[in-house]
Amino acid sequence: MTGSQKHIIGMVFYPGMTALDMVGPHQVFSALPGVQIYRLWKTSDPIKTDDGMVILPDTTFENCPPLDVICVGGGLGQAAVVDDPETLDFFRKQGSTAKFITSVCGGSEFLAKAGLLQGYRAATHWTAREQLAKLGVEVSTDRVVVDRNRITGGGVTAGIDFGLTIANILCGEEVAKIIQLLMEYNPAPPFDVGSPEKAGAELVAKAMLFMQGISTLELAKSVS
Amino acid sequence: MTGSQKHIIGMVFYPGMTALDMVGPHQVFSALPGVQIYRLWKTSDPIKTDDGMVILPDTTFENCPPLDVICVGGGLGQAAVVDDPETLDFFRKQGSTAKFITSVCGGSEFLAKAGLLQGYRAATHWTAREQLAKLGVEVSTDRVVVDRNRITGGGVTAGIDFGLTIANILCGEEVAKIIQLLMEYNPAPPFDVGSPEKAGAELVAKAMLFMQGISTLELAKSVS
């Protein structure tokens, strides 16, 4: 590290993560002036995401310098990792000195299990709200929640709004606006069903069944 | 390939691509029932994206079966690849039989240079509109353009709207809605500057300068 780095951001990648949870904010962060990003995991092995991509982490937990921002996302493979002592220790260690402790989607469960979200308001994927509340977190249905130095986003695509919110905090409004423009973030969703509140009970029930189908399929793929 | 596959989708990855251009639609496609996705490049070498991630392609052009959907995105490294004869030949060959010929962001330039977009309306990143028009394409400022079997998206984040549009076409409205809900695509951009029309001339000028700065930095990184 050199003195010219202004913000050291670590993003924890893991097998079965949802790629878009991290790639959304990663795309924002990578455009910030004076930022160094580490893509972290326990090992240097290739990581298969829950949508079947393979991404290489570049830094192990052991080799990771103290982070200004620590960030983690959710994924269908999360359950197999979220109680891993080495991973939770890494969050606790980095969380004790990081300026911002952050997550997208189901990633908030890592922070909660590391004891970093109790007493804070936080967002998560809508399917994970109940589970996060059980861990003693004040769960919000907001898309992005900033509570002191905990910054959390809702499910998957919320990572883009989350990333731009952090860009604004770290580098100011003009930079955040420029990045939003360069990413042409002028969304036009084809349907108005992007939250359980908007989608209604019937579609929510179908989506839960659909997700179970994907999870089963992904599990089959990961052992094949 | 087995007879149970309903849609064969090929996404062309290349060095210097913008990760989010492809990861947005990839996240949608991976959730579609009966879909097989190939992540393609000329070689099996790891690909460094323009935001510094490393992704592994899984299939070479040579080993790629006939595709139902071919898809490519843009990126700061695009200029070094977009005139490559082997790459353009691949688009021409697959484009002659594919059911849908598609792109996100500056990826439309690949299709145009392969002769696949002349006589069609198409979208691209706002900074690339002029260049695409010079190639004989009827450029649209719409976020997603469906013109017969050419489906094109605007810059970067438009890939999510683009992906959901294709999900609707391939698998119907209910599946597309379920995926939108599971991806919690209920966007809340922090600013209203996501298109050049909304951002205004001053921010557009600043964004162009900012992008040149990123490009220079990325070029330095890629040769380091």
Side-chain angles (χ1 to χ4, degrees):
Chain A
M1 305 313 312
T2 70
S4 65
Q5 298 297 346
K6 287 194 291 186
H7 306 289
I8 316 293
I9 299 179
M11 306 185 83
V12 175
F13 287 10
Y14 58 87
M17 66 185 265
T18 296
L20 187 51
D21 283 13
M22 287 292 92
V23 172
H26 186 278
Q27 195 74 50
V28 176
F29 296 159
S30 70
L32 294 175
V35 155
Q36 170 81 38
I37 304 177
Y38 293 94
R39 300 148 201 97
L40 305 160
W41 180 228
K42 293 199 287 184
T43 70
S44 307
D45 295 340
I47 284 172
K48 191 162 191 180
T49 66
D50 72 5
D51 54 325
M53 285 184 50
V54 179
I55 300 177
L56 295 183
D58 51 46
T59 307
T60 60
F61 290 170
E62 195 178 12
N63 293 327
C64 181
L67 299 169
D68 295 316
V69 180
I70 185 164
C71 183
V72 63
L76 297 175
Q78 178 177 334
V81 180
V82 76
D83 292 305
D84 174 60
E86 187 181 345
T87 302
L88 293 181
D89 278 351
F90 179 74
F91 280 105
R92 281 189 206 101
K93 180 185 153 206
Q94 290 286 349
S96 69
T97 55
K99 291 178 194 152
F100 296 98
I101 296 170
T102 78
S103 65
V104 175
C105 198
S108 48
E109 192 183 2
F110 287 93
L111 305 185
K113 290 209 163 172
L116 297 167
L117 273 188
Q118 286 72 16
Y120 289 85
R121 280 177 67 239
T124 190
H125 191 281
W126 60 266
T127 59
R129 288 175 187 164
E130 205 171 316
Q131 169 64 14
L132 189 63
K134 283 184 189 159
L135 294 169
V137 179
E138 188 188 335
V139 177
S140 168
T141 60
D142 289 353
R143 194 157 170 85
V144 180
V145 175
V146 181
D147 184 355
R148 288 155 285 170
N149 75 336
R150 267 60 167 181
I151 307 174
T152 50
V156 194
T157 56
I160 299 170
D161 308 282
F162 159 93
L164 290 168
T165 300
I166 292 181
N168 186 10
I169 291 170
L170 293 181
C171 298
E173 186 171 314
E174 184 167 271
V175 167
K177 283 181 169 172
I178 285 171
I179 294 173
Q180 183 178 335
L181 173 57
L182 288 174
M183 290 172 64
E184 213 166 321
Y185 191 42
N186 182 32
F191 310 104
D192 191 23
V193 296
S195 71
E197 294 75 19
K198 288 182 174 177
E202 192 184 332
L203 197 68
V204 165
K206 284 179 179 172
M208 296 292 287
L209 283 173
F210 189 91
M211 190 171 73
Q212 286 163 20
I214 297 175
S215 299
T216 311
L217 187 71
E218 288 308 319
L219 197 64
K221 274 187 201 164
S222 69
V223 296
S224 67
Chain B
M1 305 313 311
T2 70
S4 66
Q5 299 297 347
K6 288 195 291 188
H7 306 290
I8 316 293
I9 300 179
M11 307 186 80
V12 175
F13 288 10
Y14 58 88
M17 66 185 263
T18 296
L20 187 52
D21 283 12
M22 287 291 94
V23 173
H26 187 279
Q27 194 74 49
V28 176
F29 296 159
S30 71
L32 294 175
V35 154
Q36 172 80 39
I37 305 177
Y38 294 93
R39 300 148 200 96
L40 305 159
W41 180 230
K42 294 200 284 185
T43 70
S44 308
D45 296 340
I47 285 171
K48 191 162 191 180
T49 66
D50 72 5
D51 54 325
M53 284 185 48
V54 179
I55 300 177
L56 295 183
D58 50 48
T59 308
T60 60
F61 290 169
E62 195 178 11
N63 294 328
C64 181
L67 299 170
D68 296 316
V69 180
I70 185 164
C71 183
V72 62
L76 297 175
Q78 178 177 334
V81 180
V82 75
D83 292 306
D84 173 60
E86 187 182 343
T87 302
L88 293 181
D89 278 350
F90 179 74
F91 280 106
R92 280 187 206 102
K93 180 185 152 207
Q94 290 284 351
S96 68
T97 55
K99 291 178 195 153
F100 296 98
I101 295 169
T102 78
S103 64
V104 174
C105 197
S108 48
E109 191 182 3
F110 286 93
L111 305 184
K113 290 209 164 171
L116 297 168
L117 273 188
Q118 286 72 16
Y120 290 85
R121 282 179 64 240
T124 190
H125 192 279
W126 61 266
T127 58
R129 289 176 186 164
E130 205 171 316
Q131 169 65 13
L132 189 63
K134 282 184 190 159
L135 294 169
V137 179
E138 188 189 335
V139 177
S140 167
T141 60
D142 290 352
R143 191 156 172 86
V144 180
V145 175
V146 181
D147 185 355
R148 289 154 285 171
N149 74 337
R150 267 60 166 180
I151 307 174
T152 50
V156 195
T157 58
I160 299 171
D161 307 282
F162 158 93
L164 290 168
T165 300
I166 291 182
N168 186 10
I169 291 170
L170 294 182
C171 298
E173 186 171 313
E174 184 167 272
V175 166
K177 283 181 169 173
I178 285 172
I179 294 173
Q180 184 179 334
L181 173 57
L182 287 174
M183 290 172 64
E184 214 164 323
Y185 191 42
N186 182 32
F191 310 105
D192 191 23
V193 295
S195 70
E197 294 76 18
K198 288 182 173 176
E202 191 183 333
L203 196 68
V204 164
K206 284 179 178 172
M208 297 292 287
L209 283 172
F210 188 91
M211 190 171 74
Q212 286 163 22
I214 297 175
S215 299
T216 310
L217 187 69
E218 288 308 318
L219 197 63
K221 275 186 201 165
S222 71
V223 297
S224 67

